[in-house]
């Protein structure tokens, strides 16, 4: 009947993609640096190690993933 269907699957962003743009880049690094030393509900998204606080460990995790999808 002339109907075309397009199915697209949106993948969830990797945890290190803190800005949610689908890629891990320097933009994500700048956000994590901004939250360095912070903890609690405002920082939980940027606490990549899960230790309750945004630290150099989280930054290291993020930097090791730059360019990965």
């Amino acid at each position: 009947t002339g109907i075309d269907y397009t199915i697209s699957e949106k993948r969830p962003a990797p945890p290190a993609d803190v800005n949610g743009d689908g890629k891990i880049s320097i933009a994500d690094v700048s956000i994590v640096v901004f939250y360095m030393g912070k903890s609690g509900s405002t920082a939980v998204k940027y606490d990549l190690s899960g230790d309750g606080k945004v630290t150099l460990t989280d930054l290291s995790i993020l930097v090791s993933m730059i360019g990965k999808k």
Side-chain angles (χ1 to χ4, degrees), residues 8-53:
S8 64
E9 181 180 335
K10 185 175 181 180
R11 292 186 193 171
D17 177 21
V18 297
N19 68 355
D21 69 353
K23 58 189 174 209
I24 301 167
S25 67
I26 193 70
D28 300 297
V29 171
S30 66
I31 293 168
V32 170
V33 167
F34 177 80
Y35 283 93
M36 290 286 284
K38 294 182 174 64
S39 59
S41 61
T42 59
V44 70
K45 180 178 179 178
Y46 315 104
D47 175 20
L48 304 176
S49 67
D51 66 355
K53 190 172 186 179

